Amino acid sequence: MLLGTHTPKLDDKGRVILPSKFRDDLGAGIVVTRGQERCLYVFSAAEFERVHERIREAPLTNKQARDFLRMFLSGASAETPDSQNRITIPPPLRAYAGLERELVVTGVGAHAEIWDAQAWNDYLEGNEAAYSEMEQEVIPGLF
């Protein structure tokens, strides 16, 4: 399970070192794609395949499903960490997420997210109060 918040830096070649705690769960092959809220999702190859299979179950007649599939897969990039455990984030994905040098990598259970540090801080600031004040059950049966 991928957990925690880490603050690596993006190098001049668009590479980032993934947190050491994530390496076993992500494995040797990973997929980076567009996430929501202008972050990037990072999946192990196996988890990406599982998610893709779930998406494929949606009917092609459903416009929202087609739109999601297009956005999710058209930005996907299979990456293999190099000998220093760096992955390259392709320029279109860096532009999509507005990535600068300072990054935040968060563990979100079955996948990780890569955020521009300022975007992450803005997200936290805008959502912490709502998280603290939730009165309704968001995930059925959790608490």
Side-chain angles (χ1 to χ4, degrees), residues 121-133:
N121 290 333
D122 293 345
Y123 175 82
L124 278 181
E125 186 176 306
N127 288 283
E128 280 183 318
Y131 173 73
S132 296
E133 297 169 2

Side-chain angles (χ1 to χ4, degrees), residues 33-41 71 92-99 113-116 119-120 123:
T33 192
R34 289 182 197 98
Q36 294 166 299
E37 291 94 20
R38 294 280 180 177
C39 71
L40 301 178
Y41 291 164
M71 292 299 293
L93 289 176
R94 291 194 313 259
Y96 169 80
L99 300 183
E113 294 179 350
I114 299 174
W115 292 75
D116 173 73
W120 173 253
Y123 175 82

Side-chain angles (χ1 to χ4, degrees), residues 1-76:
M1 183 181 316
L2 303 169
L3 302 172
T5 301
H6 308 271
T7 55
K9 296 192 183 328
L10 190 67
D11 73 12
D12 294 337
K13 295 181 180 179
R15 299 174 300 193
V16 63
I17 297 174
L18 293 174
S20 59
K21 291 182 178 185
F22 290 7
R23 292 180 196 148
D24 287 341
D25 288 321
L26 290 174
I30 63 169
V31 178
V32 181
T33 192
R34 289 182 197 98
Q36 294 166 299
E37 291 94 20
R38 294 280 180 177
C39 71
L40 301 178
Y41 291 164
V42 181
F43 294 93
S44 68
E47 181 65 15
F48 187 82
E49 181 62 31
R50 188 191 70 73
V51 170
H52 175 248
E53 287 302 318
R54 294 282 315 272
I55 294 169
R56 285 183 46 176
E57 293 172 5
L60 287 177
T61 55
N62 181 316
K63 181 176 178 352
Q64 286 184 312
R66 289 192 313 270
D67 290 345
F68 184 87
L69 185 65
R70 288 177 187 131
M71 292 299 293
F72 189 73
L73 293 179
S74 69

